[in-house]
Amino acid sequence: MHIPDNYLSPATCGTLLLAVTPIWTVSVLKVKAQIKTKRETIPMMGVTAALAFLIMMFNVPIPGGTTAHAVGGTLLAVLIGPWAACLSLSVTLLLQALLFGDGGVIAFGANVLNMAVIMPFVGYAFYRLGQRLGHERIGLAVGAYVGICTAALAAGVELGLQPLLFHTASGQPLYCPYGLNITVPAMLLAHVLVAGWVEAGFTLVVFHFVKQVMPQSLYQAPLTGAQPLGLRYWGYLLVGLACLSPLGLLARGTAWGEWSTSELHQRIGLVPQGMHHGFNFKALFADYSLPGLPTAASYLLAAATVLLICLLVVRASQHDQKD
């Protein structure tokens, strides 16, 4: 679901970045207010950002030779609140783009809209509805499933509009070469049939784990600065996921719509002009790999890097709270 650079026009990327900017602004204001009564919010944002990153490392095969993955958007919204989840997921997407080349740099706003705005807010709405009806876990599962499918639909629409809006005088697409009749079914089917169920299942498992060992980490719980965060349990969960992350390599193939220009050329026999001459950013750990290291070792190193960043954020936030 990570839209790479040059699949969307610069105008589309700029418009979507502008669209999410006020949402970031409101999120910051909401989180500042939340911190006054739930001081654990800041370290939990670091923890959940790492959790989302690790979740997205577990690719699953999709019929047709592509792959997809869960995101954890609804799970984060339930754990720390939808506004804080928006910021945490935005940080995760930024790290993925800058360090690992997963998702575009100029397409950052589009990916944030889909995975850090639409997914957690839609999912959280269904979760709250389930709570009110007395079926919390059903609401959570439905929210996780509908949230990721809605985000996939948005990505499909963004990609599919490109040939209609941006093309040469002869009608050749400048960016994503596939129209809505292809992008929407391709994105939706992958998530409706496979990734949505993985998202719902993973969300329920982690939610049950949290409820059992650290219920105070839930957004709805009456948190106070005196209550423990259960960071030891979070550490166990994150390290366990990091160690298992190479399992995500078992699913072969590239996610639909995330092909490199060479892969796209193999598929359709050409590379649209806007993509061929577009923005080219070289990430430090492009494709989660390092020259000279086995793929599995590189994957583990990527997971460890994010865990280290998470640890630094948690430590810094705890130090600030003591001050």
Side-chain angles (χ1 to χ4, degrees):
M1 196 186 299
H2 291 73
I3 298 177
D5 282 328
N6 306 317
Y7 271 76
L8 303 179
S9 72
T12 302
C13 293
T15 300
L16 296 180
L17 182 62
L18 286 175
V20 299
T21 299
I23 301 174
W24 279 327
T25 303
V26 175
S27 295
V28 170
L29 295 175
K30 293 283 189 179
V31 169
K32 282 184 177 180
Q34 180 177 322
I35 292 170
K36 293 178 181 179
T37 56
K38 297 179 171 67
R39 297 181 61 192
E40 293 86 347
T41 297
I42 293 299
M44 281 300 298
M45 286 176 66
V47 169
T48 53
L51 176 64
F53 181 92
L54 293 171
I55 291 173
M56 287 188 261
M57 295 185 76
F58 290 88
N59 297 308
V60 293
I62 301 296
T66 61
T67 60
H69 57 73
V71 176
T74 301
L75 176 63
L76 265 65
V78 171
L79 291 175
I80 60 175
W83 298 103
C86 174
L87 297 180
S88 288
L89 286 163
S90 296
V91 170
T92 299
L93 293 169
L94 185 63
L95 289 174
Q96 288 174 326
L98 294 179
L99 293 181
F100 306 103
D102 194 3
V105 174
I106 61 172
F108 177 59
N111 289 320
V112 166
L113 177 64
N114 301 334
M115 287 182 276
V117 176
I118 293 174
M119 190 183 303
F121 281 97
V122 169
Y124 188 73
F126 278 91
Y127 167 72
R128 292 290 288 144
L129 178 61
Q131 269 192 327
R132 293 191 183 98
L133 296 176
H135 299 284
E136 182 181 48
R137 281 177 167 78
I138 293 177
L140 178 63
V142 173
Y145 182 86
V146 174
I148 195 171
C149 290
T150 306
L153 173 62
V157 170
E158 291 156 8
L159 291 167
L161 286 175
Q162 299 307 298
L164 293 175
L165 299 176
F166 306 98
H167 50 77
T168 64
S170 61
Q172 291 295 318
L174 289 173
Y175 301 100
C176 176
Y178 299 107
L180 289 166
N181 61 321
I182 296 177
T183 60
V184 170
M187 292 299 295
L188 267 183
L189 286 175
H191 292 81
V192 167
L193 297 178
V194 181
W197 298 102
V198 175
E199 177 87 8
F202 194 93
T203 298
L204 285 172
V205 169
V206 177
F207 179 79
H208 178 75
F209 171 74
V210 173
K211 292 276 275 190
Q212 292 298 311
V213 302
M214 41 190 168
Q216 72 278 3
S217 295
L218 293 170
Y219 174 60
Q220 298 279 325
L223 299 183
T224 67
Q227 286 183 301
L229 257 181
L231 290 178
R232 175 164 57 98
Y233 296 108
W234 278 113
Y236 295 155
L237 176 62
L238 294 178
V239 171
L241 288 174
C243 292
L244 293 173
S245 62
L247 292 176
L249 296 169
L250 296 177
R252 298 294 181 180
T254 304
W256 198 95
E258 297 183 23
W259 306 291
S260 65
T261 53
S262 59
E263 289 176 306
L264 188 61
H265 187 273
Q266 290 177 356
R267 284 177 169 269
I268 63 176
L270 59 89
V271 176
Q273 183 179 338
M275 297 181 68
H276 185 72
H277 300 289
F279 180 76
N280 186 22
F281 175 78
K282 297 294 184 181
L284 182 63
F285 303 105
D287 296 324
Y288 299 91
S289 63
L290 276 176
L293 274 182
T295 306
S298 297
Y299 224 57
L300 284 170
L301 181 60
T305 300
V306 172
L307 287 184
L308 178 59
I309 294 172
C310 164
L311 176 62
L312 293 175
V313 170
V314 171
R315 292 294 187 188
S317 62
Q318 288 179 323
H319 182 269
D320 288 342
Q321 288 180 4
K322 290 178 181 179
D323 293 342

